[in-house]
Amino acid sequence: MIIKQNLKHIKSQLPKDVTLVAVSKTKPISDIMEAYDAGQLVFGENKIQEMVEKHEQMPKDIEWHMIGHVQRNKVKYMASFVSLIHGVDNFKLLKEINKQALKHDRVINCLLQIKIASENTKFGMTEATALEILKSEEFKNLKNIKITGVMGMASFTDNLEQVASEFKTLKAAFNNLKTIQAFNCDLQTISMGMSGDYELAIENGSNMVRIGSSIFGARNYSI
Ligand SMILES: *Cc1c(COP(=O)(O)O)cnc(C)c1O
């Protein structure tokens, strides 16, 4: 029941145009089903194998988002069903996604992950690299992917001014990248904000939030 209540509470706070990705990583099917039964259809996972297993066992109208770092050699396992890949942080990965999507005769929506945090541990490309990719001739040949937006993760810090400034950086990058015209590029989505900072993210332009622990409770990595 608590998951249902948490979901209801969070949804009541989100503006209509903000998509909620319920981050279900490490959580059992029973927890995800509780959210599903309460009407949640979009779930985010950060490990491909775990997402594949959950996809196999769960209702097929669920939209699965890959929000974690993606290894190129594992794209093939999710290419038949993944609905959005948030963490595209290099061109080689994008080309592999295109190749695997072609095998399934589908177009896979992708977000470019932009590095906005000051820490070295966070993945992502610079805005300049993203621009370079979208303007390249090679990009125009990728018919089985579509770039639908950007994703970013703020620094892990209590300094809210810094976090807000990082969110603003992502919004500005989005605005610049959005000016590029290509058939496989239609930027609509700014994926930023997690349990601890989603309100601030929305204030700064997010329209897709990735929320885990505030819905499902704290994760336990030791089991
Ligand atoms: C785990 C995770 C989240 C959700 O984090 P919470 O703090 O539990 O809301 C969001 N985005 C990414 C990329 C994650 O890996």
Side-chain angles (χ1 to χ4, degrees):
M1 269 313 282
I2 187 79
I3 292 172
K4 211 171 204 166
Q5 283 169 17
N6 289 343
L7 250 181
K8 201 172 161 194
H9 174 71
I10 289 169
K11 278 195 167 158
S12 72
Q13 296 185 332
L14 297 182
K16 265 212 188 70
D17 62 331
V18 175
T19 301
L20 171 62
V21 180
V23 176
S24 48
K25 63 192 187 195
T26 78
K27 297 297 177 181
I29 303 267
S30 55
D31 284 8
I32 309 175
M33 273 314 291
E34 188 176 336
Y36 175 85
D37 288 337
Q40 180 66 24
L41 292 178
V42 182
F43 292 92
E45 290 283 333
N46 72 335
K47 294 209 166 65
I48 292 173
Q49 194 51 47
E50 187 174 338
M51 185 173 77
V52 167
E53 284 167 19
K54 287 173 174 172
H55 165 257
E56 281 168 2
Q57 296 174 52
M58 297 198 63
K60 294 300 173 278
D61 57 345
I62 289 178
E63 277 184 36
W64 292 101
H65 288 203
M66 174 42 56
I67 62 169
H69 183 65
V70 177
Q71 285 172 285
R72 244 183 359 258
N73 61 354
K74 292 190 179 159
V75 171
K76 55 179 176 279
Y77 301 119
M78 63 174 168
S80 66
F81 70 90
V82 66
S83 87
L84 182 64
I85 301 176
H86 290 233
V88 177
D89 65 353
N90 66 80
F91 199 13
K92 268 189 165 172
L93 173 60
L94 191 61
K95 286 187 274 190
E96 175 65 14
I97 296 168
N98 185 72
K99 182 176 149 190
Q100 297 300 333
L102 175 62
K103 288 186 187 167
H104 295 278
D105 193 25
R106 53 189 301 252
V107 172
I108 296 181
N109 291 337
C110 296
L111 306 180
L112 295 180
Q113 183 171 358
I114 309 290
K115 181 175 156 61
I116 52 173
S118 54
E119 298 132 18
N120 284 326
T121 51
K122 300 255 161 48
F123 295 101
M125 59 174 86
T126 62
E127 181 189 329
T129 301
L131 270 171
E132 209 174 286
I133 290 172
L134 298 185
K135 285 179 175 170
S136 70
E137 280 305 313
E138 219 181 346
F139 175 72
K140 290 176 194 152
N141 295 323
L142 305 180
K143 298 187 172 62
N144 293 81
I145 53 96
K146 186 174 219 173
I147 303 297
T148 58
V150 295
M151 179 269 210
M153 286 176 86
S155 296
F156 188 71
T157 170
D158 292 335
N159 184 343
L160 292 183
E161 274 178 36
Q162 183 184 342
V163 173
S165 141
E166 290 171 359
F167 287 150
K168 286 186 172 78
T169 301
L170 187 61
K171 168 74 173 162
F174 171 83
N175 287 341
N176 286 336
L177 296 167
K178 200 175 159 56
T179 61
I180 293 193
Q181 308 246 354
F183 79 93
N184 53 356
C185 194
D186 179 19
L187 275 76
Q188 304 285 345
T189 299
I190 306 181
S191 166
M192 62 182 185
M194 323 197 328
S195 290
D197 57 17
Y198 71 90
E199 284 133 331
L200 193 58
I202 291 167
E203 276 171 40
N204 287 287
S206 169
N207 60 13
M208 184 174 280
V209 291
R210 309 176 306 268
I211 300 181
S213 40
S214 290
I215 297 172
F216 296 105
R219 286 176 293 274
N220 183 350
Y221 287 101
S222 64
I223 51 169

